[in-house]
Amino acid sequence: MSIQKVGFNVAEYALKNKMGIGSFRLKDGSSVKILQDQDKNLIQFFQLKNGELIGAKGYQGPSSNFQAANYLCDLEKNAENAEELEKAWANSCEFDVMA
């Protein structure tokens, strides 16, 4: 696994690209940021730990929700709290210009 220092703020990136954003923690101490642009059927996942990118995944197109749901099911096993994961998904579905 390759680790990269994140060269941008994920929340600012989401705001700039008019994407909803949500976040939940994993048991290993990392967090997963979920970004969505529902108009473009675009969903992105960034897994971060100590400011470093340790994983990323993205889906776009008509099946993006289905693919993202499968990925979230895999992540749920390692989530600290399943309710936090569900809230992160809900938050990512809505773009909030005030975020």
Side-chain angles (χ1 to χ4, degrees), residues 2-10 46-55:
S2 177
I3 298 176
Q4 297 286 327
K5 197 74 168 160
V6 178
F8 62 93
N9 180 295
V10 176
F46 295 99
Q47 186 177 354
L48 305 164
K49 187 171 185 178
N50 300 323
E52 295 178 332
L53 181 67
I54 59 174

Side-chain angles (χ1 to χ4, degrees), residues 62 68 91:
N91 288 343

